[in-house]
Structure formats: C-alpha cells, structure tokens
Amino acid sequence: MSLHTTVLGDGGPTVAFCHGLFGQGKNWTQIAKALSPDHRVLLLDMPNHGRSPWTESFDYVELADMVAAHLEPEGPVALVGHSMGGKIAMCLALRHPGLVERLVVVDVAPVTYASGREFVGYIETMRGMDLAALERREQAEEALREAVP
C-alpha cells in the first residue's frame, strides 16, 4: 500500500511525521517548513486518512507495518507521531527498529485506553453534515457544537 506523502526539503536526515486521528500529513506543514532547509521531511497521510488508501479494518500492528513498508526505502528516519500516529509510530519502532533512528511521541502514552466509543458521535455528526452547503468555517463549527464539546 502506497501512502500519500508530501515531501519538503531534499537534503539532510529524514524526518517522517504521523498525524493523529481525523488528521492528515499536512497538519505538520509549519514544522516541516521550518525543518526543510536542513532535512528531508515526509508528511504522511496515515492509512484510512486524507489521500491514503483505506483498509477493511483498523489494527495498529497492520497500520504500523504499512507505514514501515512505505518508509523502508528511506532507511532509518526520525519518526514523529501525534496521538493515533504516536501509537502507530511506537508500534512501528518496536516491530521495525532498523527503520527508526529516533522516535518522538506527542500527546499519547503507551497504555491501553478504555474505549474509542466517544468518537462515534463525532463521526456520525460529521457524516451527516451537508458539506456543499457550508460557506464558512464558522458554519461547520456551529453544526458540530452540540456533538463536539
């Protein structure tokens, strides 16, 4: 599976970013721009997100292996993961240590969480939105206000 990747910079060590749930690689654009003069920066859309392919199920081990396969040609990278991307990055580092030169995990701990059920309401609300009718970000925020505290 080939993941959608935005590349900034063309020299120096490689830094790869794994975004959080509901995100995209471009969430890290500002940091990538700051690093790009001295690094090759990869902004990955995780599987089931952005412009990357979708899978039949969600499994951190499988997602980590997909990201690892995508990073393999890059050699060891500095891997940065936020939230869900942090879990994927930790799993990848354990399963494919030769691909990770260093690991940065942001806003998530290596523990089991009780449930992801709180996201069901968010997803249902987002799926029910008429995106064609939205003209401003404020309209989307208002539509989400009740479901998203």
Side-chain angles (χ1 to χ4, degrees):
M1 168 184 292
S2 181
L3 302 178
H4 179 267
T5 305
T6 300
V7 179
L8 286 85
D10 55 9
T14 300
V15 181
F17 287 90
C18 300
H19 61 79
L21 185 65
F22 304 130
Q24 296 180 42
K26 69 181 181 180
N27 294 137
W28 290 94
T29 299
Q30 292 304 314
I31 293 170
K33 285 180 181 178
L35 294 173
S36 66
D38 301 313
H39 297 80
R40 176 176 156 75
V41 183
L42 309 177
L43 301 178
L44 307 172
D45 282 359
M46 294 293 94
N48 307 319
H49 289 78
R51 291 179 274 177
S52 283
W54 288 69
T55 61
E56 291 295 318
S57 62
F58 184 94
D59 178 273
Y60 280 113
V61 171
E62 289 177 21
L63 299 181
D65 289 346
M66 288 176 209
V67 174
H70 188 77
L71 292 177
E72 193 146 354
E74 300 293 332
V77 302
L79 185 60
V80 180
H82 169 253
S83 193
M84 176 202 71
K87 289 229 179 215
I88 292 169
M90 287 186 280
C91 191
L92 188 157
L94 289 171
R95 293 177 57 78
H96 307 275
L99 290 178
V100 182
E101 188 261 330
R102 60 185 72 199
L103 176 65
V104 178
V105 178
V106 181
D107 199 25
V108 69
V111 298
T112 301
Y113 291 91
S115 170
R117 298 299 308 163
E118 69 270 14
F119 293 112
V120 171
Y122 303 163
I123 294 167
E124 288 173 355
T125 301
M126 286 186 276
R127 283 185 169 165
M129 292 175 63
D130 180 5
L131 299 180
L134 299 177
E135 295 178 8
R136 296 183 328 277
R137 182 182 184 115
E138 294 81 22
Q139 291 173 306
E141 289 175 355
E142 181 60 35
L144 293 170
R145 186 161 285 128
E146 190 174 320
V148 182

